[in-house]
Amino acid sequence: MRGDFEVVEEYVQHGRRRFRVLYKRTNVVFNVAAESVDEALDKARRMAERVAASRALRTRT
């Protein structure tokens, strides 16, 4: 799953480094605050896992 993410933009907003991370083969982009590219990719991966879990729970009800 780690290779499924790509940083498409890095910028500074209000003094914090932010990254736009694309979930490859989808049109989903995660915006995360991080100190490094590796941290941004890890955060995006964790966010994707949480979204998938909540989506699975929603379809069961």
Side-chain angles (χ1 to χ4, degrees):
M1 183 176 201
R2 186 173 180 88
D4 291 338
F5 294 88
E6 173 187 358
V7 173
V8 293
E9 184 179 3
E10 178 180 346
Y11 59 97
V12 176
Q13 182 180 36
H14 304 293
R16 296 186 66 187
R17 278 177 81 183
R18 298 195 57 87
F19 298 84
R20 294 184 71 228
V21 181
L22 173 68
Y23 190 4
K24 293 181 183 177
R25 296 181 299 276
T26 71
N27 62 347
V28 176
V29 176
F30 295 97
N31 293 299
V32 297
E35 294 297 318
S36 67
V37 171
D38 287 334
E39 182 184 359
L41 294 171
D42 287 339
K43 282 186 171 186
R45 188 178 70 251
R46 288 194 309 266
M47 289 173 75
E49 290 170 355
R50 284 194 305 260
V51 169
S54 66
R55 186 178 307 140
L57 290 172
R58 230 178 306 143
T59 59
R60 295 180 130 214
T61 58

